[in-house]
Amino acid sequence: MKRNNYSIGLIAVVLCLMAFLVQAQDKAEKGTIKIDLAYHQMNNDLPVIKVSAKTRKNKKFQPVEGVEISLFFNTETSQGFLGRVETSTNGAASLSLPVRFKAQFDSLFSFKFIGTLIQNDSFQDQSTELEITKAKIELTLEDIDSARTIHAKVLAFQDTGWVAQPETEIKLVVRRLMSDLTATEEETFTTDKNGDAAAEFSLNIPGDAQGNIIIGARIDDHEMYGSLVSTKAAKWGVPLASDSFAKSFTKRTLWATRDKTPLWLLIFPNLIIVTVWGIIFYLIYQINRIKKLGRTNDPV
Amino acid sequence: MSQLTNASKITTDLLPQKFGTGGRIWTGILVVLCLLGLYGYYRQVTLGLVVTNMRDYASWGIYISNFVFFVAISLVGSLITAIFRLASVEWRTPLTRIAEIIAVSAILFASIIIIVDMGRPERFTHLFLYGRLQSPIMWDVIVITTYLTISVLFLYFPLLHDLPILIKNSKDGSVRQKFYKFIGSFWKGTAAQFRISENAVRIISVMIIPVALAIHTVTSWLFATTYRPGWDSTNFGAYFVSGAFLVGAGGVVVAMYVFRKAYKLESYITEKHFDNMSKIVVLLALVYLYFNINEYLVPAFKMKKAEEHHLRSLFIGDFARLFWTAIVMSMIVPVVVLLFPKGRKPFPAFVMGLFVVVGAWFKRYLIVTPTMLSPFLPMYDVPDSYKRYFPSWEEWAITTGSLAGTLLIITIFTRLFPIIPIHETIEEMENIKHEKT
Amino acid sequence: MVDLPKIVPLSEIKRRNFLKGAGAMMAGIAGCNSKDPFTTEAKKEQVQPSGEMVKLLSTTGEIIEVDKAYLKPTEEIPSITHMAERMGIEGKKFVMVIDLSRCRNLKKCQEACNHAHFVSDHQNWIKVYPIQDAENTSPFWQPTTCMHCDDPPCVKVCPVDATFKRVDGIVGIDADRCIGCRFCMAACPYSTRVFNWDQPIVPPEVMALQYSSETSCPPKIGTVSKCDFCPDMARKGELPHCVTACPNGVFFFGDLNEDTVTNGSETVRFSELIRDRSGYRLMEDLGTKPSVYYLPPVDRLFPFKNEDKHEAKPELHS
């Protein structure tokens, strides 16, 4: 009897060990993934959540492609479900807050974004949270006697309404095609006790044909507010003199398409070709004449 | 009485004959080479240009140098037939048709080899649908087409004169006779017809010379319109044209000898002909040598940085052996040998003609490849094979096939048509007789 | 950035001639009652209508009116027509500045470019040369892309208009037009063009794509290809792959008309950069007018080390 108990116990232990080993194997095969969430909001539109998935390989972080991350708003429930995104080759993905959450978003002072990865074959389950306090930047442009100033005010949403935030780092920029150019002498400003930052705009920078440029104020990767950008268009740029290259593009050049062949190339070679081929056709016509003569003549 | 006999003797001598054993072996070899070339091309079309050894630096190889060679040798038509005619060179008669068929055949294969070089030959029609007149390639397409047409006409008009003789002397009802009749049964030899024909030939003689000059100048511009060392020369047009005349003359000497031997034409292609042609070869070789000295000595004097690598590779580097052999073989040796009367006898002239032609082929290779292997920026970040170029077997097969094809067309031509114009020869003989009496 | 106008408005469609004649339009308006997918989805998600209506063209050729609130903003960009690809982006003139004082021959630019464009290793569009102009001058690494010249010798010689200059300065290649004559390769003094001698190694789903000269994909056998300044990225407001891939910020890219270039982290005024750092162009005396400027290797970040113990590049198979 005792022997039976003993052997059953042994089998049970072995089974448990095996189960543990299998589980450990499972765990050992799956890598760990690091999910980073970033909050981006522009001009008080619906914010965009940017996801970045990385994994540690050979002591370096490598982006992870093709994993599906589920995003949630405040609660990890079907009500808070924002959507599912798949990371690109750079391990990046993004999702804008769906319209149906707008009312909820407008009413809250602060909120949480949750990103989860579950049931992935190569990686262990992972969950990340991002807490954001709602804030905005009020951007005003002042042009008095051609002295141009940019004013930015940082405000956070609290129960009393929008409250000015001091000690916040802010940058004042001109928005360009692929990046932002610093618009002011100093790189960054810190808002004063009224949440204000102001600087003189004295750049001589090209705008579009009418001289329009877009001025922006941005907060980058703030621990509470995320990344915010506020923009305003202004006629503060130098009107773009009609692009000298675009002008040459419409001219007749050797590198243009065939409809814009240089005139000398169009006229003289064609004249020569027409002349020479004219003679050739004349010669062929002469062959015809010889033919005719041969038919009408009596055989010699 | 003696007139008739002479005329009929001329006819018998010059009528196209059946191939003997030699002729059949010759044709057989050419056909085999053509088939090998076709097989090489089949591999190229199915596997891509990777079967060649051209790579990103030497992106033009022996297909292009072969193309230049064909265009060069095709100028012989205008030289012999047109220039000699306009200069009233009396002894040109036996040589005119030889020159013209070489010209037509060569220019035909120039077009073929250029299509072979294309990465996407099935898109050949793009040249006509989307062609840009600004491109030197378009200019080349236009002049080559024009020259081919004119050369065919130049071959055709004098050929008409011989057709009655050919029709009369071929078996009634045979395919051959039908063929002759199809080309020109309407030619009766009346005075009116002769007037038109003579006028046409006169017009072509004048017109073909600028077209011939244009064809090789434009081909030279395929190189001269780039910045590369060795090609960036203002001299290229004249340099190429002079080389073309030389190789054409050499080619005619070779053809003269071969036909003379094969068809026993000693009384028509006389030693005087070899003597005269050899003198012309000497003159043309000296002119080409003059242009070569300008092309190589002057940049070598300056040794500009971009040119230094190129010139070194030609003079003392990888291409030195080939370069000096080609110069000596195609220009210096022929000049020396042909300056002597003994050297201008048929056989030595023939050998010198061969030297000129073979040397010219390698000279064209030396114009194309060394420059491509001397780029402005170093050859880097590429596999080792990119830094060299020696043609693959497919390239050799296709190139040899194209040369064999040219010779095959000429061979078939001589089987069908008299290689020396019968009518003109008879006429000439009658004129001489008439003058004597 | 969410941007509702990305859903093509009616006026633009009219210009594109989707509708042939007013008759079709009449028929379209008549069918306004059909439920469109936007409304259906919005009802599912219980979105409140804003009252502001937007006119759209449905896939069946009808004009429908949808509440603006029902339209979801999308990051997707409508595909560009062939003619638009050949014309380029109006108002822009792309320029690149390469800072030679920072290059260390890491070849990350090459990796990223080759990966993004399915370029094989023997065909690198970006070549990083070790340059030493003279015996006593300093050696340095020089990454070389296509110069996108304003007087391009390659475009001049192309017989079929397969390579073309765009209004935004980019020189593009249409691999569906190219006949493979390789004249452009002979004409380019910068040796920047490569040829697809062999069948390119490309995944089948990419091979099946319609060729676009903005992505230069899929590459085709028997045609020429080269650096294209990534116009597909520029349309999205993103930098070319080489610029973002370089860890040392060697490549700056931008719009000459905006006088601004950026390497992803630093944004500077182009005119100031060239003036202060004495920028120059390669082979200026040839008159090609390149769009790529170089900043001389002064105040280097790294010393020059050529450890390239003749690492043999993989050969082509045939």
Side-chain angles (χ1 to χ4, degrees):
Chain A
M1 267 339 262
K2 242 198 181 158
R3 246 226 181 126
N4 265 345
N5 279 343
Y6 200 60
S7 42
I8 291 174
L10 190 61
I11 294 169
V13 168
V14 169
L15 281 172
C16 280
L17 257 171
M18 282 175 67
F20 179 71
L21 275 169
V22 168
Q23 212 193 25
Q25 280 278 69
D26 232 6
K27 271 215 172 121
E29 270 168 8
K30 282 196 181 174
T32 18
I33 198 171
K34 185 163 146 23
I35 307 174
D36 286 317
L37 299 177
Y39 173 89
H40 289 256
Q41 192 193 29
M42 175 157 143
N43 278 339
N44 306 318
D45 277 346
L46 288 170
V48 174
I49 309 299
K50 294 220 165 118
V51 183
S52 163
K54 292 194 192 58
T55 185
R56 207 189 172 91
K57 239 187 220 162
N58 303 329
K59 296 192 181 167
K60 269 201 209 154
F61 274 111
Q62 308 267 25
V64 182
E65 182 183 352
V67 287
E68 274 197 355
I69 314 273
S70 304
L71 292 166
F72 298 87
F73 186 56
N74 284 328
T75 50
E76 213 172 315
T77 59
S78 57
Q79 261 194 319
F81 180 64
L82 294 174
R84 204 171 284 125
V85 288
E86 193 178 313
T87 53
S88 68
T89 23
N90 302 335
S94 67
L95 183 71
S96 344
L97 191 72
V99 179
R100 63 178 185 273
F101 288 94
K102 186 164 159 54
Q104 197 185 1
F105 173 77
D106 283 339
S107 60
L108 292 170
F109 310 139
S110 66
F111 26 76
K112 197 162 57 173
F113 292 97
I114 308 160
T116 61
L117 172 77
I118 47 170
Q119 295 183 321
N120 185 290
D121 296 326
S122 344
F123 296 101
Q124 293 174 10
D125 293 356
Q126 186 71 262
S127 172
T128 318
E129 281 183 7
L130 179 69
E131 284 193 26
I132 296 288
T133 314
K134 193 155 76 181
K136 71 174 178 184
I137 308 172
E138 267 177 11
L139 181 66
T140 34
L141 305 177
E142 206 175 63
D143 194 351
I144 305 172
D145 295 330
S146 59
R148 296 169 173 164
T149 332
I150 308 173
H151 293 273
K153 196 182 182 88
V154 180
L155 305 144
F157 196 49
Q158 291 170 1
D159 42 5
T160 43
W162 289 97
V163 176
Q165 299 299 308
E167 306 290 310
T168 319
E169 238 187 57
I170 191 167
K171 284 202 186 100
L172 301 173
V173 295
V174 176
R175 301 225 92 184
R176 305 268 75 178
L177 177 65
M178 291 153 189
S179 59
D180 293 332
L181 183 69
T182 312
T184 51
E185 289 261 334
E186 291 174 35
E187 283 280 330
T188 57
F189 297 87
T190 320
T191 51
D192 59 13
K193 58 181 184 336
N194 295 326
D196 282 323
E200 188 194 332
F201 178 81
S202 52
L203 277 183
N204 224 8
I205 193 142
D208 66 6
Q210 284 84 40
N212 291 314
I213 53 172
I214 300 179
I215 305 282
R218 50 187 300 158
I219 294 175
D220 287 323
D221 268 329
H222 197 276
E223 46 180 357
M224 285 204 295
Y225 310 134
S227 297
L228 305 173
V229 185
S230 200
T231 62
K232 238 192 184 77
K235 261 196 169 64
W236 285 3
V238 177
L240 191 60
S242 54
D243 193 353
S244 65
F245 177 71
K247 253 200 255 159
S248 72
F249 194 76
T250 51
K251 289 209 195 99
R252 290 181 177 275
T253 57
L254 281 174
W255 49 262
T257 48
R258 66 199 212 140
D259 52 318
K260 293 200 272 291
T261 318
L263 281 173
W264 56 268
L265 196 55
L266 206 50
I267 295 176
F268 293 112
N270 276 315
L271 263 174
I272 297 171
I273 293 169
V274 165
T275 316
V276 174
W277 277 88
I279 299 176
I280 292 177
F281 285 126
Y282 169 72
L283 292 168
I284 295 176
Y285 164 69
Q286 293 291 69
I287 295 178
N288 250 326
R289 276 189 66 195
I290 295 177
K291 252 197 184 152
K292 285 218 188 89
L293 282 173
R295 297 260 151 78
T296 55
N297 267 2
D298 300 341
V300 173
Chain B
M1 255 317 257
S2 52
Q3 249 184 339
L4 258 158
T5 337
N6 266 344
S8 65
K9 181 174 187 307
I10 292 174
T11 314
T12 341
D13 283 341
L14 298 179
L15 272 176
Q17 302 157 22
K18 270 209 173 121
F19 284 154
T21 336
R24 267 182 284 215
I25 295 177
W26 166 255
T27 315
I29 295 175
L30 291 179
V31 170
V32 167
L33 288 173
C34 281
L35 288 173
L36 269 174
L38 276 169
Y39 175 62
Y41 188 56
Y42 164 75
R43 274 182 61 86
Q44 187 181 291
V45 166
T46 46
L47 295 170
L49 277 169
V50 68
V51 302
T52 67
N53 277 340
M54 293 188 280
R55 296 291 180 260
D56 288 347
Y57 285 103
S59 52
W60 277 349
I62 58 174
Y63 292 153
I64 295 289
S65 54
N66 204 28
F67 167 73
V68 178
F69 176 76
F70 276 136
V71 174
I73 213 166
S74 74
L75 253 71
V76 68
S78 61
L79 171 67
I80 305 289
T81 325
I83 296 180
F84 279 11
R85 193 199 157 76
L86 289 175
S88 301
V89 171
E90 288 159 8
W91 46 270
R92 74 174 190 282
T93 317
L95 309 176
T96 52
R97 198 164 291 162
I98 296 175
E100 270 314 309
I101 189 56
I102 294 177
V104 170
S105 189
I107 213 59
L108 200 61
F109 269 88
S111 328
I112 293 177
I113 201 77
I114 208 66
I115 297 177
V116 164
D117 182 64
M118 280 167 64
R120 291 291 210 147
E122 77 274 12
R123 293 182 184 173
F124 182 71
T125 46
H126 286 195
L127 282 169
F128 305 106
L129 292 170
Y130 307 113
R132 281 177 77 246
L133 199 55
Q134 293 102 319
S135 168
I137 283 186
M138 280 313 290
W139 310 343
D140 218 10
V141 169
I142 294 170
V143 268
I144 287 184
T145 317
T146 313
Y147 189 68
L148 178 59
T149 314
I150 297 180
S151 293
V152 168
L153 287 172
F154 214 10
L155 187 63
Y156 183 62
F157 274 106
L159 196 60
L160 280 174
H161 306 174
D162 286 345
L163 279 175
I165 304 172
L166 288 168
I167 294 174
K168 199 167 71 163
N169 283 293
S170 55
K171 221 194 317 193
D172 280 319
S174 66
V175 179
R176 258 168 150 239
Q177 204 190 52
K178 288 207 185 107
F179 173 60
Y180 292 143
K181 284 197 171 151
F182 173 70
I183 311 180
S185 59
F186 52 84
W187 177 263
K188 303 285 185 260
T190 62
Q193 284 183 326
F194 264 110
R195 231 179 304 135
I196 298 176
S197 167
E198 286 299 305
N199 195 31
V201 170
R202 216 174 298 132
I203 292 176
I204 299 178
S205 303
V206 172
M207 186 170 67
I208 201 174
I209 295 173
V211 177
L213 292 177
I215 195 180
H216 219 39
T217 308
V218 170
T219 305
S220 79
W221 287 350
L222 291 180
F223 306 100
T225 50
T226 68
Y227 298 108
R228 293 182 181 255
W231 292 356
D232 188 13
S233 161
T234 58
N235 211 10
F236 246 44
Y239 173 52
F240 268 48
V241 169
S242 66
F245 277 144
L246 172 63
V247 70
V252 165
V253 171
V254 171
M256 271 163 66
Y257 185 81
V258 170
F259 289 129
R260 185 178 193 247
K261 264 260 151 42
Y263 293 117
K264 304 207 184 2
L265 299 170
E266 284 83 358
S267 19
Y268 302 94
I269 304 177
T270 62
E271 286 199 4
K272 195 81 180 75
H273 284 100
F274 281 96
D275 194 60
N276 290 334
M277 275 309 293
S278 305
K279 287 182 188 158
I280 290 175
V281 170
V282 170
L283 172 67
L284 293 173
L286 286 171
V287 171
Y288 192 47
L289 189 61
Y290 165 78
F291 275 107
N292 270 278
I293 294 173
N294 273 276
E295 273 299 311
Y296 293 112
L297 180 64
V298 174
F301 185 87
K302 293 181 284 200
M303 272 304 184
K304 273 201 270 192
K305 185 170 176 201
E307 316 238 342
E308 195 181 333
H309 180 265
H310 172 242
L311 290 167
R312 271 188 199 282
S313 71
L314 286 177
F315 294 160
I316 53 180
D318 294 331
F319 295 100
R321 243 184 306 175
L322 196 59
F323 178 74
W324 292 114
T325 315
I327 299 264
V328 168
M329 200 167 97
S330 70
M331 287 173 263
I332 299 178
V333 170
V335 166
V336 169
V337 170
L338 298 175
L339 274 175
F340 297 98
K342 281 243 178 75
R344 296 197 287 273
K345 290 257 192 282
F347 184 70
F350 164 68
V351 174
M352 289 304 111
L354 272 179
F355 274 23
V356 163
V357 172
V358 173
W361 195 92
F362 284 103
K363 187 75 179 49
R364 301 304 177 286
Y365 171 79
L366 287 164
I367 289 175
V368 175
T369 305
T371 295
M372 301 222 80
L373 291 175
S374 304
F376 286 101
L377 292 173
M379 292 192 272
Y380 201 75
D381 260 349
V382 287
D384 268 342
S385 62
Y386 278 39
K387 306 179 188 174
R388 292 180 290 274
Y389 173 67
F390 186 78
S392 64
W393 78 259
E394 286 95 342
E395 285 178 272
W396 284 121
I398 293 173
T399 309
T400 328
S402 69
L403 291 162
T406 320
L407 293 172
L408 193 60
I409 289 186
I410 300 173
T411 311
I412 294 175
F413 183 82
T414 60
R415 180 70 188 86
L416 292 171
F417 300 104
I419 197 61
I420 295 178
I422 300 179
H423 182 91
E424 263 188 82
T425 316
I426 294 176
E427 207 179 66
E428 213 178 70
M429 175 223 38
E430 282 172 356
N431 281 341
I432 297 172
K433 277 236 163 90
H434 191 73
E435 275 171 27
K436 281 197 178 146
T437 52
Chain C
M1 276 137 281
V2 299
D3 202 356
L4 282 176
K6 275 223 173 65
I7 298 165
V8 185
L10 187 63
S11 51
E12 193 140 323
I13 296 171
K14 266 191 183 155
R15 241 181 281 136
R16 290 188 199 175
N17 291 322
F18 277 172
L19 300 170
K20 292 209 166 50
M25 198 155 91
M26 286 296 117
I29 290 178
C32 250
N33 287 323
S34 47
K35 265 274 165 38
D36 58 272
F38 304 109
T39 317
T40 330
E41 272 301 304
K43 290 267 185 305
K44 257 197 246 166
E45 295 188 10
Q46 294 164 327
V47 182
Q48 298 307 314
S50 67
E52 192 184 333
M53 304 302 270
V54 175
K55 276 207 177 75
L56 300 176
L57 182 73
S58 80
T59 49
T60 49
E62 303 165 347
I63 297 181
I64 52 176
E65 276 199 340
V66 180
D67 192 293
K68 193 169 184 182
Y70 296 165
L71 299 173
K72 263 191 220 174
T74 170
E75 300 277 329
E76 289 241 351
I77 303 183
S79 60
I80 323 284
T81 65
H82 185 74
M83 270 326 286
E85 275 184 9
R86 274 181 173 261
M87 272 307 289
I89 308 171
E90 294 257 356
K92 312 254 174 277
K93 179 77 171 65
F94 294 114
V95 71
M96 182 179 270
V97 183
I98 297 180
D99 191 349
L100 296 174
S101 67
R102 301 185 192 185
C103 181
R104 202 187 178 191
N105 193 31
L106 292 176
K107 294 219 203 317
K108 296 282 179 229
C109 49
Q110 227 177 52
E111 271 176 43
C113 171
N114 290 2
H115 182 80
H117 295 106
F118 302 101
V119 175
S120 316
D121 193 32
H122 51 77
Q123 283 185 320
N124 300 309
W125 288 1
I126 303 179
K127 296 194 176 60
V128 186
Y129 299 111
I131 301 276
Q132 185 168 8
D133 284 324
E135 232 178 85
N136 295 323
T137 59
S138 145
F140 55 91
W141 293 106
Q142 179 183 288
T144 315
T145 61
C146 168
M147 299 286 140
H148 295 275
C149 306
D150 282 346
D151 197 2
C154 55
V155 176
K156 285 191 212 174
V157 297
C158 179
V160 292
D161 209 9
T163 185
F164 46 89
K165 180 78 173 166
R166 295 164 29 138
V167 73
D168 54 14
I170 290 180
V171 174
I173 296 180
D174 182 355
D176 284 331
R177 179 77 69 83
C178 177
I179 59 174
C181 70
R182 312 187 296 289
F183 199 174
C184 56
M185 291 177 73
C188 177
Y190 304 99
S191 307
T192 198
R193 285 171 170 255
V194 298
F195 192 73
N196 292 302
W197 303 100
D198 206 352
Q199 191 65 36
I201 303 163
V202 180
E205 60 269 15
V206 177
M207 269 314 236
L209 290 173
Q210 172 77 14
Y211 179 82
S212 159
S213 63
E214 297 218 335
T215 53
S216 297
C217 274
K220 305 208 165 175
I221 188 175
T223 61
V224 182
S225 60
K226 64 170 185 68
C227 155
D228 56 8
F229 264 11
C230 301
D232 56 325
M233 301 295 273
R235 282 195 194 267
K236 291 192 270 185
E238 286 176 38
L239 290 165
H241 296 100
C242 53
V243 180
T244 36
C246 179
N248 294 324
V250 169
F251 293 84
F252 287 81
F253 189 78
D255 180 2
L256 196 62
N257 290 339
E258 285 184 349
D259 194 30
T260 307
V261 289
T262 180
N263 63 3
S265 39
E266 303 160 59
T267 306
V268 286
R269 288 197 65 169
F270 170 79
S271 51
E272 283 174 16
L273 186 65
I274 298 298
R275 183 195 64 212
D276 295 338
R277 301 277 305 274
S278 186
Y280 64 91
R281 300 188 290 194
L282 281 189
M283 302 189 212
E284 186 76 59
D285 46 312
L286 291 181
T288 51
K289 308 204 187 88
S291 300
V292 176
Y293 290 75
Y294 283 90
L295 302 177
V298 196
D299 292 335
R300 309 261 204 114
L301 280 185
F302 315 101
F304 177 82
K305 253 196 282 189
N306 193 349
E307 281 148 15
D308 231 353
K309 283 176 189 76
H310 204 62
E311 180 202 307
K313 291 247 158 197
E315 296 286 345
L316 278 179
H317 53 92
S318 60

